[in-house]
Amino acid sequence: MAKKILILGVNGFIGNSLSEALLRKTDAEIFGIDMNNDKLENCLQHPKFHFTEGDITINKEWVEYHIKRCDVLLPLVAIATPATYVTHPLSIFELDFEANLDIIKKAVKYKRRVIFPSTSEVYGMCPEPEFNEETSALVTGPINKPRWIYSTSKQLMDRVIFAYGMQHDFQYSLFRPFNWVGPKLDDILNPKAGGSRVLTQFIGNILRGEDIKLVDGGEQRRCFTYIDDGVDALLRIIENKDGNANQRIFNVGNPKNDYSIRELAEMLVKIIKTYPKYAKQAEKTKIINVSSAEYYGKGYQDVPSRVPSVENAEKYLGWKPTTDMETLLRNTLDFYLK
Ligand code: UDP
């Protein structure tokens, strides 16, 4: 296991869970930077955890110094909420692409290994029943649908990283999360408009006595993946046994948890009815339909179905997701409701 790990965006949903797991299961030393530290209560006091409050786009010297100092780098700073793709596409380009490109170039300069978050969004509206890292087409929509700026910014970054691998022997691993969910995903008590992912959005709707809104009927499907399964894949990528993760791309998702958004809403209402304190709220909840233009604006276009092939992760990392939908929902609800 690598000794020194640098995590940019360490307080994020993935960063904080990964840090906890690294501290619990390995002897790695973690250097992390973030603008906030509210999700790091289990890490901050640990002798092997070093936190700096800062912004990677401002504290560039700190970042460069730590890239030099560490063995492995995980640049996890990005905006990943669809509502923002539609309202502020340039912010996505500036942070997810430009700021991260600067970091990749430094990792190339100092020959450091990078584990970079690609996304299941790169496959876009790919019609294949299962998305494969090496063979699937990446299908996006027209320019007047800014929703695709996230997908294409990430795609170009994947291509740049791949090219550095080809031409400079850059050591990287790309991982593509498929709707990772779990405790600490979003803040459901202080909702920002469109600032949360569908699961936390729906939990918040139920708790606040609002209707659950199914965008365009809710027939679109996602494979929901529990954060602990995702983090387990990351630990294996970091470990990089026999160099098996080098210069590879991994889908990290649970193909068995393939549900429509409508099914997700119905399951949630049903399960929340079993929490005595919130049962009444759940009884009252209405599930309604809204158009995507109404919900997100004209620049939105949806992904109808998104199922990962996880053969590569199994073959090269010995990884398989194990958390089923019921368990994943209950664990997440226990965190938010108890
Ligand atoms: N969605 C919905 N109602 C909401 C929020 C989201 O129907 O209140 C839908 C959204 O249109 C998308 C799916 O749920 O089809 C998943 O949305 P999320 O924001 O979690 O991210 P995505 O998987 O699209 O990246």
Side-chain angles (χ1 to χ4, degrees):
M1 177 57 73
K3 284 268 174 301
K4 293 196 174 96
I5 300 175
L6 173 59
I7 304 181
L8 311 179
V10 72
N11 187 58
F13 174 52
I14 298 177
N16 86 80
S17 297
L18 174 63
S19 297
E20 276 189 33
L22 281 167
L23 295 174
R24 209 172 46 239
K25 297 181 178 174
T26 76
D27 60 358
E29 192 164 8
I30 303 172
F31 296 82
I33 186 168
D34 204 297
M35 297 193 288
N36 304 301
N37 64 12
D38 57 305
K39 293 179 179 172
L40 294 169
E41 70 278 3
N42 299 328
C43 302
L44 288 170
Q45 303 307 323
H46 198 288
K48 293 204 161 170
F49 188 78
H50 311 282
F51 176 75
T52 297
E53 193 178 305
D55 178 334
I56 60 151
T57 62
I58 296 168
N59 303 96
K60 292 188 178 184
E61 281 177 18
W62 186 97
V63 172
E64 181 157 1
Y65 173 72
H66 282 82
I67 291 174
K68 244 189 300 185
R69 199 174 163 195
C70 290
D71 307 298
V72 181
L73 160 64
L74 288 107
L76 303 180
V77 175
I79 300 169
T81 40
T84 320
Y85 314 161
V86 179
T87 55
H88 295 84
L90 285 178
S91 305
I92 307 297
F93 177 72
E94 286 160 7
L95 187 66
D96 296 17
F97 187 80
E98 285 189 307
N100 277 287
L101 179 61
D102 195 37
I103 287 168
I104 293 300
K105 285 183 174 171
K106 293 201 171 101
V108 172
K109 176 173 159 193
Y110 297 113
K111 301 194 189 313
R112 291 297 181 261
R113 189 170 163 238
V114 171
I115 298 169
F116 192 79
S118 177
T119 170
S120 52
E121 275 267 319
V122 294
Y123 298 105
M125 300 176 290
C126 176
E128 295 166 35
E130 239 187 39
F131 302 162
N132 178 282
E133 299 92 332
E134 275 131 49
T135 58
S136 287
L138 311 180
V139 183
T140 57
I143 304 301
N144 63 16
K145 301 288 181 192
R147 187 251 157 79
W148 300 111
I149 199 156
Y150 174 73
S151 172
T152 51
S153 293
K154 286 281 192 183
Q155 183 190 148
L156 185 56
M157 190 64 87
D158 289 2
R159 293 188 188 280
V160 169
I161 289 172
F162 179 88
Y164 276 122
M166 251 175 76
Q167 294 185 239
H168 294 268
D169 197 30
F170 179 48
Q171 291 306 310
Y172 68 85
S173 307
L174 298 175
F175 65 99
R176 296 186 170 156
F178 280 67
N179 291 79
W180 290 13
V181 294
K184 302 190 195 176
L185 176 57
D186 295 299
D187 185 354
I188 58 168
L189 298 175
N190 300 299
K192 294 175 272 171
S196 58
R197 269 54 68 102
V198 64
L199 173 58
T200 31
Q201 181 64 43
F202 286 177
I203 298 172
N205 290 147
I206 297 171
L207 299 192
R208 294 190 296 273
E210 299 163 3
D211 295 339
I212 286 183
K213 293 178 177 158
L214 298 179
V215 172
D216 291 336
E219 296 308 316
Q220 62 277 42
R221 307 179 73 82
R222 295 293 186 272
C223 289
F224 295 93
T225 309
Y226 193 53
I227 181 71
D228 289 6
D229 282 329
V231 163
D232 180 37
L234 288 181
L235 292 179
R236 290 163 192 256
I237 293 173
I238 294 172
E239 184 186 9
N240 195 22
K241 201 164 162 225
D242 305 324
N244 263 354
N246 280 346
Q247 299 192 334
R248 288 217 162 89
I249 306 179
F250 297 103
N251 288 339
V252 182
N254 192 335
K256 290 191 183 144
N257 291 343
D258 180 14
Y259 292 92
S260 74
I261 301 304
R262 175 182 294 282
E263 287 166 336
L264 171 73
E266 289 165 355
M267 277 185 276
L268 264 181
V269 170
K270 193 170 150 206
I271 298 181
I272 295 184
K273 284 182 187 164
T274 67
Y275 288 77
K277 216 169 135 194
Y278 300 98
K280 273 215 181 86
Q281 292 288 98
E283 299 281 354
K284 281 192 301 196
T285 302
K286 278 190 293 183
I287 299 177
I288 63 165
N289 288 319
V290 295
S291 73
S292 59
E294 220 178 303
Y295 192 87
Y296 289 109
K298 282 203 312 286
Y300 185 76
Q301 202 168 19
D302 218 316
V303 171
S305 161
R306 178 189 282 168
V307 182
S309 150
V310 287
E311 271 172 43
N312 274 348
E314 194 176 347
K315 180 167 163 196
Y316 296 111
L317 306 172
W319 177 84
K320 253 185 165 176
T322 59
T323 313
D324 64 28
M325 192 69 177
E326 167 98 17
T327 310
L328 153 173
L329 290 177
R330 286 207 179 266
N331 288 356
T332 308
L333 286 168
D334 283 349
F335 171 78
Y336 283 110
L337 303 186
K338 281 187 174 162

